[in-house]
Amino acid sequence: MSSPLRLGIAGLGTVGIGVVKIVQKRAELLAARSGRDITITAVSARDKMKNRDADLSAYRWETDPMAIAQADDVDVYVELVGGDSGIAKDSIEAALRSGKDVVTANKALLAKHGQELAQLAESLGRVIRFEAAVAGGIPVIKTMTESLAGNEIQRVMGVMNGTCNYILTRMESAGLPYETVFEEARQLGYLEADPTLDVGGIDAGHKLAILSSIAFGTQVDFDNVEIEGIERVSIDDINRAADMGYRIKLLGVAQMTGRGLEQRMSPCLVPADSPLGQLNGGTNMVIVEGDSVGQIVLRGAGAGEGPTASAVMSDIVEVARGLRMPVFGQPAVGLTAAQPARTAVPAAYYMRLELQDKPGALAKVATVLGDAGISIDRMRQYGHTNKASVPVLVVTHKTTPDAIDHAITVLPETGVLVSDPVELRIEDV
Amino acid sequence: MSSPLRLGIAGLGTVGIGVVKIVQKRAELLAARSGRDITITAVSARDKMKNRDADLSAYRWETDPMAIAQADDVDVYVELVGGDSGIAKDSIEAALRSGKDVVTANKALLAKHGQELAQLAESLGRVIRFEAAVAGGIPVIKTMTESLAGNEIQRVMGVMNGTCNYILTRMESAGLPYETVFEEARQLGYLEADPTLDVGGIDAGHKLAILSSIAFGTQVDFDNVEIEGIERVSIDDINRAADMGYRIKLLGVAQMTGRGLEQRMSPCLVPADSPLGQLNGGTNMVIVEGDSVGQIVLRGAGAGEGPTASAVMSDIVEVARGLRMPVFGQPAVGLTAAQPARTAVPAAYYMRLELQDKPGALAKVATVLGDAGISIDRMRQYGHTNKASVPVLVVTHKTTPDAIDHAITVLPETGVLVSDPVELRIEDV
């Protein structure tokens, strides 16, 4: 048996403590599977005095992650500090330069500086592994870099922020408005310190940018992900979409087109009875489509101590086994800059219009849509109430985002709308 | 860049030709991802003259797989001949002994001789990879050996024979009896030459035995998989199960219990709205439960040229990248023989009874179940027809297989049954 693999862990939040617990509890199993013992040499966190759910007394305590990154008795630097720059980035670079491999769960850092870090690591003959950065315990990074290596990837998509999915499914099941459920989620501790990272779609966008890079052999390009969060999803739309057989999900889609790479993270309708439509609560799902394999669906817990620590441990075991790969599945120097493209792939769209309750209103709407080249699949006008307006739902046939944008601009000119029209893409899943 | 990785492919059926096509069509991609070219040196099949959907003129033709297995200009022996012994086994052993790594899709061989082959390979410092052997394009072997390495696996289960799933879903959607759909499947070419391998649950049983070994660190033990095929699943049961909110699937389940390792492959009821219940046609699904990661669900095409060839290629790329692992995820010499246990984990059960249409019949049945310690969750007696009998459905609370077996034995003694009672396990998914 080889010498032990010695870990230095920076960051002792939920995930860090989860890793410590697995190393302690599953030592024998890890040794059998890795061919060597896995041990912890040193740990670091901001507050030494904080009460933590693990016995850390056997490990050297460092106040500065840099001390771990540069320690002579550490083989793998496990970065769980977080943040898209600063000490997380500095310490990873220092660890690579001092001959260590790196395991991290830091999606924000990789989305912003992944290309630069991968080039540094590969130039030094080191690896950076990051299974935990995308979709928690779901092995999506490994599946894409290794299991689908014989495929040209056509599309990758998924629900990758459990908090948003919790909020959307809870709104539907409890019939509550966004603001109420958002507040619930905050009190349950589901939200990041800066909640716009979650509900603004930024966290999920980071993940999508990472997956795009692996899928298409391009440099991570987070800046060109079209991002829209879930803040404008109303309980009305959730209910109306359900009436039409759909659910609303914060869905990421990346696909290479003749015009370039489309990357979008936005609230979309998906069929209620599709695997994505059936995804409740904090569960994540990633769907990958390859030219040979067809469609692969991966589903599991997207966050939480156990699942995320499980992903970190899988990376650690890989390093222990001596399995070494380029960071994004092929050498970083060979990754090309993606040509970004705004979404133009046609799709069906859902529209909700609040119309004045008077004859001819619907005809005016239908005319605008027809003039914009939009063909209607289904239309539903809700019963007259004592209000002066009626809701009208439209599901279009496949059309372009441009046509929809144009219609949205022109519709108010009909003079029959009592509020701004709502449109949501119905992704073809 | 390293020297090319040279393949020798024995067996040019659907999968073999699929591999040839990917190697030809995706040469550039494979080189980028592997860090070296992947080439084919020699191929072999029974009939050289057969018309095949690929240009093989650049490869040396061998009539004997042994010649490929022992060729000096082959690095990886790709065994796609099939069969649980004979030339498949002999040629793999010869390839290992002549210093080659092996990639195979042969589940029958691994289920029967996996332990012996793994020990031989590891003693010689060679690898055997077999992602394609279980669930086609779904990366379940890699997920279990690598991505879940930090987990104690609690249960693994799945629908792993696309033909059976096709037959069952087609029976339900078309309302056709087993025999009719079986014949359809045969004419569509979905069945093995010996169809009992499919519909008898043997092929799926092979796959489950392989997954068990990886999950629990035990030697492959196909002989102790309790196997029941789908031949006795009637359209009546499919319809009645649907009435109660279930679908019938040929489901494999392996779990380690205090008494030993339970492995069973049998028709089971699963909730119609669960991921397993929603699985239609030839799609496969594997569900793995680990102590840290929770439940991971993997879904994709379980057979066919593209998906299976995709899995074979992922193994080839792994070898090209120099990623080397023990065959079953940990050294074969350390795998212990499993203590086999017959199914005793409690579950709810579905029973369908055809009762004489006379007062007191139902009471007698309820008494037998009560005496056997079986508690009833739901019971449904169908409307009286002009027949002298009425169907009665029972869904029990969780009970043991022993209690069910006992009740099934005693029920005929009531004198109110007009045919043999049917029972099916409702697996807790």
Side-chain angles (χ1 to χ4, degrees), chain B residues 152-305:
Chain B
E152 183 176 86
I153 302 298
Q154 295 161 329
R155 186 168 63 155
V156 55
M157 58 188 169
V159 169
M160 295 180 280
N161 182 283
T163 304
C164 288
N165 203 51
Y166 166 81
I167 291 175
L168 294 172
T169 51
R170 169 88 177 136
M171 283 170 71
E172 178 168 357
S173 63
L176 291 170
Y178 173 78
E179 293 73 18
T180 309
V181 177
F182 175 87
E183 198 45 45
E184 273 186 13
R186 186 204 292 276
Q187 282 169 17
L188 287 166
Y190 290 179
L191 286 160
E192 301 264 357
D194 173 5
T196 57
L197 285 175
D198 285 316
V199 298
I202 296 165
D203 168 80
H206 288 148
K207 296 168 182 168
L208 184 70
I210 293 170
L211 294 187
S212 285
S213 167
I214 300 170
F216 306 110
T218 51
Q219 297 175 5
V220 187
D221 183 19
F222 170 69
D223 291 341
N224 284 300
V225 180
E226 296 177 62
I227 296 183
E228 187 190 330
I230 60 169
E231 300 97 330
R232 76 172 177 112
V233 177
S234 72
I235 181 67
D236 275 358
D237 286 313
I238 286 178
N239 288 334
R240 301 305 189 199
D243 282 358
M244 308 292 267
Y246 297 101
R247 288 222 168 83
I248 301 180
K249 298 289 168 192
L250 178 66
L251 185 65
V253 181
Q255 61 196 124
M256 189 59 82
T257 72
R259 294 162 295 96
L261 176 61
E262 289 188 7
Q263 302 180 90
R264 62 181 162 277
M265 178 61 63
S266 63
C268 290
L269 272 64
V270 296
D273 60 0
S274 65
L276 279 169
Q278 298 227 314
L279 207 61
N280 292 326
T283 315
N284 279 200
M285 181 174 284
V286 179
I287 300 179
V288 192
E289 293 167 354
D291 64 340
S292 290
V293 78
Q295 191 182 72
I296 292 281
V297 179
L298 310 173
R299 173 187 160 133
E305 177 183 309

Side-chain angles (χ1 to χ4, degrees), chain A residues 62-126:
Chain A
E62 298 283 1
T63 46
D64 184 357
M66 276 301 204
I68 295 188
Q70 297 174 316
D72 287 338
D73 56 358
V74 165
D75 302 308
V76 179
Y77 177 59
V78 183
E79 185 277 306
L80 302 169
V81 175
D84 66 4
S85 52
I87 187 64
K89 179 161 184 278
D90 295 346
S91 64
I92 285 178
E93 289 171 350
L96 294 170
R97 290 212 166 86
S98 65
K100 294 170 185 46
D101 293 318
V102 170
V103 172
T104 177
N106 193 330
K107 58 222 87 168
L109 176 62
L110 289 167
K112 199 163 169 188
H113 300 291
Q115 178 65 23
E116 172 192 348
L117 289 170
Q119 285 190 229
L120 177 65
E122 290 165 25
S123 72
L124 295 164
R126 309 318 311 175

Side-chain angles (χ1 to χ4, degrees), chain A residues 124-404:
Chain A
L124 295 164
R126 309 318 311 175
V127 299
I128 302 175
R129 300 195 62 101
F130 52 95
E131 185 63 80
V134 180
I138 304 177
V140 59
I141 302 298
K142 183 173 276 289
T143 293
M144 292 185 62
T145 50
E146 302 177 28
S147 300
L148 302 182
N151 287 261
E152 182 176 89
I153 303 297
Q154 295 161 327
R155 185 168 65 155
V156 55
M157 58 187 168
V159 169
M160 295 182 280
N161 182 284
T163 303
C164 287
N165 204 50
Y166 166 83
I167 291 175
L168 293 173
T169 52
R170 170 88 177 135
M171 284 170 70
E172 177 168 359
S173 63
L176 292 170
Y178 174 79
E179 294 70 20
T180 310
V181 177
F182 176 87
E183 198 46 45
E184 274 185 15
R186 186 204 294 276
Q187 282 170 17
L188 287 164
Y190 290 178
L191 286 160
E192 302 264 355
D194 173 5
T196 57
L197 285 175
D198 285 316
V199 298
I202 297 164
D203 168 80
H206 288 148
K207 296 169 184 169
L208 184 70
I210 293 170
L211 294 187
S212 285
S213 166
I214 300 170
F216 306 110
T218 50
Q219 297 176 6
V220 188
D221 183 18
F222 170 70
D223 290 342
N224 283 301
V225 181
E226 295 176 63
I227 295 182
E228 187 191 330
I230 61 168
E231 301 98 330
R232 77 171 175 114
V233 176
S234 72
I235 181 67
D236 275 357
D237 286 313
I238 285 178
N239 289 335
R240 301 303 190 199
D243 282 358
M244 309 290 268
Y246 296 101
R247 288 222 167 83
I248 300 180
K249 299 288 169 193
L250 178 65
L251 185 65
V253 181
Q255 62 197 123
M256 188 60 81
T257 73
R259 295 163 292 98
L261 176 63
E262 289 189 5
Q263 301 180 91
R264 61 181 163 275
M265 177 62 62
S266 62
C268 289
L269 271 64
V270 295
D273 60 1
S274 65
L276 279 168
Q278 297 228 315
L279 206 63
N280 292 326
T283 314
N284 278 201
M285 181 173 284
V286 179
I287 299 179
V288 192
E289 293 166 355
D291 64 340
S292 289
V293 79
Q295 192 184 71
I296 292 280
V297 179
L298 309 173
R299 174 188 159 132
E305 178 184 307
T308 314
S310 166
V312 172
M313 282 311 308
S314 79
D315 282 341
I316 293 170
V317 170
E318 293 285 283
V319 174
R321 283 170 166 163
L323 308 183
R324 308 185 72 76
M325 287 221 342
V327 177
F328 292 102
Q330 49 184 294
V333 289
L335 299 175
T336 53
Q339 165 70 37
R342 281 195 63 81
T343 295
V345 169
Y349 278 79
Y350 156 101
M351 305 180 83
R352 181 167 58 84
L353 310 168
E354 198 71 27
L355 301 190
Q356 293 173 7
D357 188 6
K358 64 182 185 189
L362 204 55
K364 287 187 178 167
V365 166
T367 304
V368 168
L369 295 180
D371 290 348
I374 297 170
S375 157
I376 295 170
D377 175 25
R378 287 181 285 161
M379 190 173 226
R380 183 176 294 181
Q381 183 164 206
Y382 282 79
H384 300 254
T385 61
N386 50 4
K387 292 197 299 179
S389 68
V390 289
V392 169
L393 298 191
V394 177
V395 171
T396 74
H397 283 293
K398 278 197 184 178
T399 184
T400 63
D402 277 354
I404 291 290

